[in-house]
Amino acid sequence: MHHYVGVDLGGTNIKIGLVDEQGKPLAQDSFPSQISDGPETVVKNIAARVDALIRSAGVDRSRILGLGIGSPGPLDMETGVILSSSNLTGWNHVPLRDMVSKATGFAAILENDANAAAFGEYWGGAGRGSQIKHLVMLTLGTGVGCGIVNDGHLVHGTSGFAAEGGHVIVEPGPAGRLCGCGQRGCIEAHASASHVGHIAQDRVEAGEASSLRQVLDQGKPITSKDVFQHAQEGDTLALSVVDRTADYLGIQCVILCRLLDPQLIVFAGGMILAGEFLFSRIRESFARRTWKIVKDQVRIVPAELGNDAGFIGAAAVAWDGHKRGKLVLAGQ
Amino acid sequence: MHHYVGVDLGGTNIKIGLVDEQGKPLAQDSFPSQISDGPETVVKNIAARVDALIRSAGVDRSRILGLGIGSPGPLDMETGVILSSSNLTGWNHVPLRDMVSKATGFAAILENDANAAAFGEYWGGAGRGSQIKHLVMLTLGTGVGCGIVNDGHLVHGTSGFAAEGGHVIVEPGPAGRLCGCGQRGCIEAHASASHVGHIAQDRVEAGEASSLRQVLDQGKPITSKDVFQHAQEGDTLALSVVDRTADYLGIQCVILCRLLDPQLIVFAGGMILAGEFLFSRIRESFARRTWKIVKDQVRIVPAELGNDAGFIGAAAVAWDGHKRGKLVLAGQ
């Protein structure tokens, strides 16, 4: 049995894991990123933690075929360089792949974190098994992350800016909300966890009746969790926000099917804890709007890897990179 | 120099051509399809015409590495079978690839006609040259055809229903027009040549003032050609239809860039004869709506192969299939 190392580089925490060739994690660790200490120190920490993890798991280093890193972008994936990132303050043009390869001694590969998470679900999560080759993942968080697997490969496009599904326009009219990216009407501005909270709060503050007012009365902002909780308890405004969110997500699914014809559309992020209350509505919006001329075979399902998707996905990228000769061992 | 044969199977005419390995046509022919005569007769005609074309071009058969067929679908591309088609009445479950391979003696491959046309533009048209690897083509005709080239390969999805870009929803609200596919708000229902004519006609018939009324007064339906002509002559209604069409096409381009990050978006079909009058408006809509956070590198350009895209594209698919070992020589 061979193994792969996955490194999930976040702005707050770094998660690492040792994953077998079927996508199952054997051992994992998590520690503060300390991004402000700079790349050299962070890479030194990663290497020490990876080394300790391998020892504690009792795995022979010769059985480890590669190391994958999932990082916020934008990146230059060919050269393994972080160009810049709003989540990694001060990290500009950091050749992270080669730095980590040198420090750990493993051949390495760098991938966008949202792509890596999607590839993790493909390899070891909702898409596990040889029947799935085409999958799209959408993570409903502060933003809407996206990764696309087509015929078993991540879709990168010309400059690595493909699979930015959070910025597909689903509301092109005057009702389109301004997105952080500068576009109007992006799915992110209508259905991300943070915007679901904002939309409900805007309506309550505008004077609509809602049990959500008690959240504001406690001096707290309205979150998507509040919206789903109050909707499930029957609040009319909260329910209308949930319905509209699911409606937009259904439109997004139609667009994804028309362009990519995936077998699975996987939703991730905290909002999916709402379970069937959310998924049944997304599927209903999709079914109402999608093709009548042929039957869609897509399944719309929750992600399975939770917070482990990042490092499992990074390991998945290493597994794929090994098969395709894309791993790079930096000179010692 | 090697060559490839392309066969563009249409409901009315069949176009065939002999194409060199740089995508340049050497010789071509066109003849009535006579679909109602049935597959056996049509295949016999194709084989005879291909044979005559090769002889007339003076090309040695041993220099021809494969034959590609572009056909309306849906198809089973793996097995080379036409499942059914509204344009090929009575053709159900026709194993066309193997029939044509047997009749001509060439290893063959079957591809959806819109995909083939996109691959033709990639190989020998607007995307010609080794720098282009990512391209989307949209053909504005009766419907809106689409093909997607990602990293040098056509995107098929799970069942060959990817790249149905004509049915991306660009108007999800109540203004969304009913599309022939049963969805509402598809780009096809808002920006295909036929719908552009319908939209203008609906507005004139509803009583809006327009110089287009003279078309109806002559007992003729309003076509997209009329709309563009009257718009260029300054008719307010026609101009507003053109502006709205270009606006939707700009939205479509944003969606394509966010999911696929292509280098080129290529528009084809009769409507592109309007030239910069149309393209400048599409680019303006795109620029107004697209990302502010990174600069899009995509170019929005007219197709270059015109009516030859079909057979050149079919030959392109044979060229690619030869490289990838995907051509099938049916038993004699």
Side-chain angles (χ1 to χ4, degrees), chain A:
Chain A
M1 180 76 91
H2 291 116
H3 300 89
Y4 300 88
V5 176
V7 176
D8 177 19
L9 175 62
T12 308
N13 288 301
I14 295 172
K15 287 179 195 150
I16 62 172
L18 195 59
V19 183
D20 76 16
E21 64 201 16
Q22 260 112 46
K24 285 199 196 114
L26 298 184
Q28 62 190 84
D29 191 11
S30 174
F31 49 97
S33 308
Q34 299 178 294
I35 292 302
S36 59
D37 290 352
E40 285 76 15
T41 304
V42 172
V43 167
K44 201 184 278 183
N45 291 343
I46 290 172
R49 293 283 192 151
V50 165
D51 195 54
L53 191 73
I54 294 168
R55 284 171 200 276
S56 74
V59 168
D60 191 308
R61 281 181 68 95
S62 69
R63 310 303 295 164
I64 297 174
L65 298 183
L67 178 150
I69 310 157
S71 166
L75 316 171
D76 183 326
M77 273 165 280
E78 281 301 308
T79 58
V81 172
I82 298 178
L83 300 176
S84 68
S85 170
S86 54
N87 291 323
L88 307 176
T89 311
W91 287 38
N92 296 308
H93 292 273
V94 175
L96 191 71
R97 179 194 66 197
D98 290 358
M99 290 174 72
V100 172
S101 174
K102 264 191 195 174
T104 61
F106 293 119
I109 188 165
L110 179 69
E111 180 58 82
N112 171 302
D113 51 4
N115 289 349
F119 210 63
E121 286 290 338
Y122 161 67
W123 190 42
R128 195 176 49 244
S130 61
Q131 300 307 308
I132 302 292
K133 291 282 172 204
H134 306 270
L135 169 159
V136 181
M137 181 154 116
L138 295 167
T139 301
L140 309 174
T142 308
V144 174
C146 178
I148 298 171
V149 179
N150 175 65
D151 206 17
H153 299 295
L154 282 168
V155 173
H156 289 116
T158 306
S159 311
F161 294 130
E164 287 286 350
H167 305 285
V168 162
I169 294 175
V170 294
E171 184 51 87
R177 291 169 59 90
L178 184 62
C179 184
C181 77
Q183 292 182 175
R184 282 194 174 275
C186 296
I187 187 75
E188 175 165 311
H190 289 271
S192 67
S194 57
H195 278 275
V196 166
H198 297 334
I199 290 165
Q201 183 158 336
D202 287 352
R203 289 178 57 180
V204 174
E205 287 178 345
E208 287 190 57
S210 169
S211 58
L212 285 164
R213 184 167 298 280
Q214 66 200 59
V215 178
L216 295 182
D217 288 347
Q218 289 164 17
K220 291 187 286 187
I222 295 172
T223 65
S224 65
K225 196 175 164 187
D226 297 324
V227 173
F228 277 90
Q229 187 193 315
H230 286 247
Q232 283 178 294
E233 289 165 0
D235 180 62
T236 306
L237 184 147
L239 198 54
S240 86
V241 173
V242 168
D243 284 342
R244 201 81 193 95
T245 301
D247 196 35
Y248 283 120
L249 291 171
I251 294 167
Q252 171 88 349
C253 289
V254 174
I255 293 173
L256 292 171
C257 285
R258 293 301 80 83
L259 291 174
L260 296 159
D261 186 22
Q263 290 156 290
L264 286 184
I265 298 175
V266 181
F267 284 98
M271 247 164 67
I272 70 167
L273 295 176
E276 280 305 298
F277 189 72
L278 173 62
F279 279 88
S280 63
R281 285 171 165 78
I282 298 173
R283 293 189 195 108
E284 188 280 322
S285 162
F286 175 73
R288 180 162 40 83
R289 292 171 177 278
T290 192
W291 264 353
K292 317 297 181 267
I293 46 173
V294 292
K295 192 167 158 39
D296 287 293
Q297 309 201 334
V298 69
R299 289 187 299 124
I300 298 172
V301 299
E304 294 183 4
L305 299 182
N307 289 329
D308 295 346
F311 80 80
I312 294 176
V317 170
W319 162 77
D320 180 67
H322 175 73
K323 282 194 302 178
R324 298 167 63 209
K326 292 275 188 187
L327 301 184
V328 172
L329 182 64
Q332 301 298 306

